Structures are given as C-alpha cells and as structure tokens.
Amino acid sequence: MITRRQGLKLAAALAVTALPFTRTAWAQAKTIRIGWQKFGVLALAKQQGALEKRFADRGITIEWSEFTSGPPLLEALGAGSLDFGPTGDVPPLFAQAARGDLVYVGTYKPPAAFHGILVHKDSAIKTLADLKGVKLAYKRGSSAHNFAFKALAKAGLTPDDVENVDLPPPDAAAAFKTGSVDAWSIWDPYFAIAEKDPNARLLTTSEGIVEAWGYFLGNGAFASQNPELITEILDELAKVGTAAQADIEATTAALSEITGVPADVTRVTLTRAGSDLGKVGTVSDEAVAYQQALADDFHALGVLPKKLTISDIVWRPKAS
C-alpha cells in the first residue's frame, strides 16, 4: 500500500514529468482556420492577405472557409472545425445554448441601417402593423431574426402574428422574387442588392429599431491556448478597417471585387449612417450587456430553450 507521504512524492514527480507535455499541448498553432462572410473588414483582410503577412515570419498559415450566414459558421466553430469567425448578434445565442465550444473574443460595429425589411413594390403592406398575417422570411438564428422580432414589437405585434419562414439569404432572395414570401428581413450586402430591384420596396431599416453589434468569436480551446494570436488578429483587423474607412472609393472597389456586387450597391453599404470599418475591438461591458438582454428576450419569447449567461463565454485578453 502506498503511504500518504509516498503518494505526495509520486504526485509531485508526475507533475514535474507532465510539464513538457503540457507545453507541447499549448504550443502556438501553426494554422489559423477562419470562417468568413462576404462583407466587412474580414473580407478585406482576406483579399489583402493581411493576416498571412502578419504571421508569415512565424510559419503560421491561414485557412479560409466561406459561409453565407452566421449559424453554420458558428456550428463549425463550436465543433472545432474553425478557430475564428464573425457573426451578428443572434447566432452566438443559439451556439451557446447548443453547448458549442466557443467564446466571444471581439466586436465590430455595422451601420445602424445594416438590416432592412423589404416588401413587393405593389404590396398592400405600407406600415409595420400591416405585416400581421403575412409570410415573413428571415434566416432563423441570424441577426435578421432579431431585427424581424424587434420590428414586429415596434408595431405591437408578436412573432405569432406572422407566418415565419426560415430561409438562408440565397433561398430567401429567390422566394421573395417569385412572390412566395410577402416580406423579407435581411442584412447587407443582400439587403442593398435586393433594395436595388425595382420590384422591391423598403418598408424599414434597422436604424432606431435595433442597436448594431457584430461579434468575432473564437473556438474555446483555440482562444485559451493561443490568446496572443487572438489579440494579434483583432489588432490587424482594426488596422485594415481603419485604412479602409479612410479611402471609401478604394474600399468600394475592393469589396465589389470580393462579392461580385456592383460598385454602386457596395458604396451604399459602406456609406450607411454609422458605418466605420475601423471599429474593431475586444468585448466591452456594453456589448456583453446588450447580448444578455437579447438572450433574455429570446428566452422569454420561447425561441431559446434555456436561459443563458453571456459572461460565461466571454474571452478577455491578458493585461500586458
């Protein structure tokens, strides 16, 4: 039988011998897997190879995977298939509820009118109150989901007052064009593209209805093991965004090339009120409070299956 004294010595010996293995497990990543969508500062960073240049001298490579919306991006992030990616305000709530291994690591600020609700040009829908009873399309779990609900609430309506149609942007665009849905809640650049259609009419933007918050999230294991890389990614994105904001014409051309969206439409997305690509930072208390209120609202509406504590999955950089 091992005595208590022998047990303590054995534990100490194991702790010492375990240290090299711990260092190996926490060795800096050699590949950063990033999910991206065709808008904003991350898309510009991809085109410029900004992150590749930042990490080249350390032999760190960047792998990119494109997504059309936040929910599938965060599903991949939470499952460990990605390390970093951007999203709107709602997708992280569903990802946290599903117990995905992810953390909030940063924020960006889209313009106040980043979203819009569109109806058909000749539609009888003239006000938000007229949405009662119609087919309203949006991607469930996306930021457009939140906007749709807040817009309905502004008119004294609830989600039960409309026929909710869950469609990703490409499918929603087709359904709207054919008249299969009556109204569509969507974000830029899809919003700006659809708004250009002469058969579409803007009912309202998100300005004054929802506060604009966007988030960068990281895989939980990646963020805990590579905090310095997260800090550097955010720093580089802020630099890319600041430079892009200082030259909107060049940025318009660059994003138009990335997305295939005409330059005049792209310019609309970049010049909406409050647009500032340089507003990239770590997660503030204000951002956490906003997300917590949103999580509470969605739980009260029965959309989220359980109450969430947002601060449980907020990553904070170490003090220098």
Side-chain angles (χ1 to χ4, degrees):
M1 179 180 293
I2 298 176
T3 66
R4 182 174 183 276
R5 182 184 295 273
Q6 290 171 323
L8 291 173
K9 287 182 178 180
L10 180 59
L14 288 172
V16 171
T17 57
L19 285 176
F21 296 98
T22 301
R23 290 193 188 101
T24 299
W26 282 58
Q28 189 176 73
K30 289 302 180 183
T31 301
I32 304 173
R33 302 164 300 170
I34 299 179
W36 71 293
Q37 300 180 59
K38 284 186 173 179
F39 66 82
V41 67
L42 196 57
L44 290 169
K46 179 182 184 297
Q47 185 196 54
Q48 297 170 13
L51 295 174
E52 285 85 350
K53 294 171 187 174
R54 175 94 180 214
F55 296 115
D57 62 345
R58 279 163 281 176
I60 297 174
T61 59
I62 309 295
E63 290 183 1
W64 297 91
S65 297
E66 184 184 342
F67 293 82
T68 60
S69 64
L73 189 157
L74 292 191
E75 184 178 352
L77 194 73
S81 299
L82 294 175
D83 302 315
F84 183 91
T87 179
D89 49 13
V90 174
L93 306 182
F94 287 87
Q96 183 179 1
R99 299 180 182 275
D101 181 21
L102 42 74
V103 288
Y104 294 88
V105 298
T107 61
Y108 62 92
K109 289 290 286 182
F114 186 63
H115 302 81
I117 292 180
L118 298 165
V119 297
H120 301 290
K121 181 182 68 174
D122 299 325
S123 171
I125 302 170
K126 305 298 183 185
T127 68
L128 289 173
D130 295 333
L131 290 172
K132 186 171 184 177
V134 310
K135 291 182 179 180
L136 174 60
Y138 56 83
K139 176 57 189 168
R140 187 177 188 275
S142 72
S143 59
H145 189 166
N146 178 35
F147 170 46
F149 279 18
K150 292 291 197 303
L152 290 171
K154 184 177 181 180
L157 302 176
T158 73
D160 292 335
D161 288 317
V162 299
E163 185 176 340
N164 298 277
V165 182
D166 178 16
L167 290 172
D171 294 339
F176 182 74
K177 195 170 188 66
T178 61
S180 298
V181 296
D182 305 298
W184 181 21
S185 174
I186 188 58
W187 61 88
D188 275 332
Y190 302 103
F191 166 32
I193 295 168
E195 189 181 14
K196 189 81 172 176
D197 187 335
N199 293 313
R201 174 165 49 84
L202 177 63
L203 185 64
T204 185
T205 71
S206 51
E207 187 170 6
I209 295 178
V210 294
E211 191 175 352
W213 279 102
Y215 296 90
F216 294 109
L217 283 95
N219 173 265
F222 178 87
S224 66
Q225 294 171 16
N226 301 277
E228 71 290 346
L229 296 187
I230 294 291
T231 299
E232 287 197 63
I233 291 170
L234 294 174
D235 178 67
E236 191 62 33
L237 292 180
K239 289 178 178 178
V240 170
T242 298
Q245 195 63 39
D247 190 349
I248 289 298
E249 287 308 307
T251 301
T252 295
L255 277 177
S256 180
E257 181 181 342
I258 292 167
T259 63
V261 176
D264 60 331
V265 178
T266 299
R267 190 176 292 104
V268 169
T269 71
L270 292 172
T271 55
R272 294 196 193 276
S275 179
D276 187 346
L277 292 165
K279 284 188 176 179
V280 174
T282 53
V283 185
S284 65
D285 291 341
E286 181 187 5
V288 174
Y290 170 85
Q291 281 296 96
Q292 187 61 60
L294 181 57
D296 293 343
D297 287 346
F298 267 52
H299 181 259
L301 288 167
V303 179
L304 279 176
K306 61 181 180 180
K307 289 185 69 68
L308 301 177
T309 302
I310 300 301
S311 59
D312 286 348
I313 63 164
V314 174
W315 173 86
R316 301 288 192 186
K318 293 181 180 179
S320 56

